[in-house]
Amino acid sequence: MTFEEIEAIFYTPPTEFHNRSPKSVLAYAVGAALYMPATRSEVAEEIKNGKHEGLTTVMLDLEDAIGDQQVGQAEQSLAQQLFQLMSYVRTGVMSEQSLPLLFVRVRSVEQLERLLSGLGESLTLLTGFVLPKFSSDTGRAYFTLLAEYNRSMGTGADIPVLYGLPILESSKIIYRETRWKELLEIKAILDEYQEYVLNVRIGATDFSSLFGLRRSPDITIYEIAVIRDCIADIINLFGRVGSDYVISGPVWEYFSHRERVFKPQLRVSPFEDAFGKQGRNLRMDFISDAMDGLIREVMMDKENGIIGKTIIHPTHIKPVQAMYAVTHEEYMDALAIVERNDGSLGVFKSTYANKMNEIKPHMNWAHRIISRSKVYGVLHEQQHFVSLLPKHENTSAPNLGAVQR
């Protein structure tokens, strides 16, 4: 993105970040996290060449994305790809700060221990490990290993913190009779090791599998009743103000055309506002690729206080990242609420003169908006997230990403 393009789109531009950035930034910055099987042999080359524009987070998967008989091969491939990236950094082909945030999803405590002792200097390229099927039985063992590693290395300017990202997806959490006890026990573990907890992630695919369910591209995960109820309880516990956890949303797994059951969920006007009549072509591309469902689910995530999304296809990167950019109206409201918190008044008309802002009830919301704005930027008054979407071949608007490094 050129300086001119940034100025045209953003009132306040996105913040640059890397794996040595403060935790308060990284927790929000994970954003659209692209999963790749650790068996992929092209990962390092794709990152070096910038194959996936706008890519900010990669999660190399050693768990469900590979077969049980591929574990040894996947670990070897992972080590090779990280070594290759390290060689690019050492030789100046690319800087460490230009790398996306890199995570490894492990499949067991034993595997995490093996990687911590075997990956050597390559560990400094990672931001952390994703911990699947996180439970009260295994959770403390995972974080004990991470804490011991971080304390032994001595984190600082030269050594980044290695974080843990627990995925809540086990039967004890989704089954109502065991849910609250399990969540409370997990929270006790995470509270103990909070300095090393970057995100609390929700694994709705595993939850759904326990009921033989799979959502269609026409609906959001919030319309699957049993999953919605569980997500509500997770937010109730980990999303409370003062808990200081950032919750990330479930994976969106569709990326190609399917016959539609319901009407498209994207209005025409935002696309025409951004691209003129040619914006209709871009809108149809998104509808054909089932991304109108993805956009709606990300919007539902945000409304429920969830920031971050697991994705499985590069075409999902920009739509998800674009949705996290803060609108000018949101930012003006949030800023005014914080700045007027001097006790001189309790309520005032918004800058856009379309709502009331109550200082005390809206203060926590305002702080979260400002935190998100620091990572994803603030759009100009007349701009919309659609302006950040990848352009159709017939549109003339710039091809922009929501977060550029």
Side-chain angles (χ1 to χ4, degrees):
M1 185 190 298
T2 67
F3 177 77
E4 289 76 16
E5 289 170 343
I6 293 174
E7 280 205 324
I9 296 294
F10 289 102
Y11 176 81
T12 302
T15 301
E16 292 187 357
F17 57 86
H18 48 78
N19 71 339
R20 288 173 170 78
S21 296
K23 180 188 171 190
S24 59
V25 171
L26 291 176
Y28 278 86
V30 174
L34 181 62
Y35 265 55
M36 296 184 182
T39 49
R40 282 179 61 89
S41 59
E42 309 89 359
V43 173
E45 197 69 16
E46 290 177 359
I47 290 174
K48 176 177 74 72
N49 295 333
K51 179 179 178 180
H52 307 305
E53 187 178 1
L55 179 67
T56 58
T57 302
V58 173
M59 294 188 171
L60 297 167
D61 194 1
L62 291 167
E63 200 218 8
D64 286 344
I66 65 169
D68 292 341
Q69 298 179 12
Q70 295 180 295
V71 175
Q73 173 193 349
E75 289 185 7
Q76 184 178 17
S77 176
L78 170 69
Q80 291 172 345
Q81 295 308 302
L82 292 178
F83 178 81
Q84 188 65 52
L85 286 172
M86 181 63 76
S87 71
Y88 291 149
V89 170
R90 284 175 174 169
T91 57
V93 173
M94 60 189 307
S95 69
E96 192 168 339
Q97 286 72 27
S98 68
L99 291 172
L101 302 180
L102 297 172
F103 298 87
V104 175
R105 181 161 85 158
V106 297
R107 55 171 52 204
S108 67
V109 173
E110 293 73 25
Q111 186 178 58
L112 175 60
E113 186 172 21
R114 189 160 61 245
L115 294 176
L116 287 173
S117 62
L119 289 178
E121 189 180 358
S122 296
L123 287 169
T124 61
L125 300 181
L126 298 180
T127 305
F129 288 90
V130 183
L131 312 174
K133 299 173 178 62
F134 194 87
S135 71
S136 58
D137 296 327
T138 60
R140 182 166 275 102
Y142 275 126
F143 274 101
T144 296
L145 285 174
L146 287 173
E148 289 175 350
Y149 169 83
N150 283 310
R151 291 164 186 165
S152 68
M153 296 299 293
T155 55
D158 297 326
I159 305 295
V161 176
L162 268 184
Y163 295 101
L165 288 74
I167 308 180
L168 307 185
E169 56 185 350
S170 69
S171 59
K172 284 185 178 180
I173 295 172
I174 192 66
Y175 294 161
R176 178 169 289 179
E177 66 270 22
T178 54
R179 179 183 306 158
W180 203 245
K181 179 176 182 293
E182 177 70 1
L183 286 177
L184 287 171
E185 291 180 357
I186 288 173
K187 187 172 185 298
I189 295 170
L190 299 187
D191 287 349
E192 182 179 347
Y193 294 97
Q194 190 165 28
E195 63 184 302
Y196 303 122
V197 182
L198 192 60
N199 284 163
V200 175
R201 307 187 73 82
I202 299 174
T205 302
D206 276 37
F207 283 157
S208 298
S209 73
L210 293 168
F211 299 89
L213 303 174
R214 185 177 190 177
R215 76 181 180 283
S216 77
D218 296 299
I219 66 171
T220 72
I221 198 66
Y222 297 96
E223 293 165 277
I224 305 295
V226 68
I227 311 300
R228 177 198 63 222
D229 292 349
C230 184
I231 291 175
D233 283 344
I234 291 171
I235 296 170
N236 191 311
L237 185 60
F238 291 97
R240 299 176 187 181
V241 171
S243 291
D244 294 326
Y245 292 105
V246 173
I247 306 172
S248 291
V251 65
W252 181 263
E253 56 191 18
Y254 294 99
F255 56 86
S256 62
H257 177 73
R258 288 187 52 174
E259 183 179 352
R260 302 193 66 88
V261 177
F262 300 111
K263 290 181 179 180
Q265 301 176 71
L266 292 176
R267 292 171 55 236
V268 175
S269 55
F271 288 84
E272 290 190 339
D273 290 345
F275 301 107
K277 290 184 179 179
Q278 295 170 340
R280 290 175 177 265
N281 296 325
L282 177 59
R283 175 179 176 271
M284 287 309 302
D285 284 347
F286 274 72
I287 290 169
S288 297
D289 291 339
M291 284 199 226
D292 56 325
L294 167 62
I295 289 171
R296 182 165 180 261
E297 185 163 293
V298 173
M299 186 169 291
M300 292 291 293
D301 287 343
K302 289 196 305 177
E303 291 297 315
N304 284 281
I306 290 175
I307 296 295
K309 194 79 170 166
T310 299
I311 58 174
I312 48 80
H313 198 272
T315 57
H316 297 165
I317 296 170
K318 286 190 177 180
V320 173
Q321 296 290 93
M323 291 290 291
Y324 296 143
V326 173
T327 67
H328 186 264
E329 181 175 349
E330 289 175 319
Y331 185 70
M332 289 296 103
D333 283 341
L335 205 61
I337 289 167
V338 172
E339 290 177 348
R340 296 192 180 193
N341 186 31
D342 58 4
S344 62
L345 75 168
V347 64
F348 61 94
K349 183 169 63 176
S350 71
T351 303
Y352 278 66
N354 59 3
K355 71 179 76 67
M356 70 171 188
N357 287 326
E358 292 188 84
I359 292 177
K360 289 182 179 178
H362 293 144
M363 182 60 64
N364 294 323
W365 169 86
H367 283 303
R368 290 190 176 185
I369 290 294
I370 291 172
S371 293
R372 178 153 58 90
S373 75
K374 292 177 181 177
V375 176
Y376 296 98
V378 180
L379 299 172
H380 275 306
E381 184 173 354
Q382 301 302 323
Q383 295 293 347
H384 192 277
F385 82 92
V386 171
S387 303
L388 298 167
L389 298 178
K391 67 178 179 180
H392 186 273
E393 60 181 2
N394 294 322
T395 58
S396 58
N399 191 7
L400 306 178
V403 177
Q404 297 292 336
R405 305 170 63 74

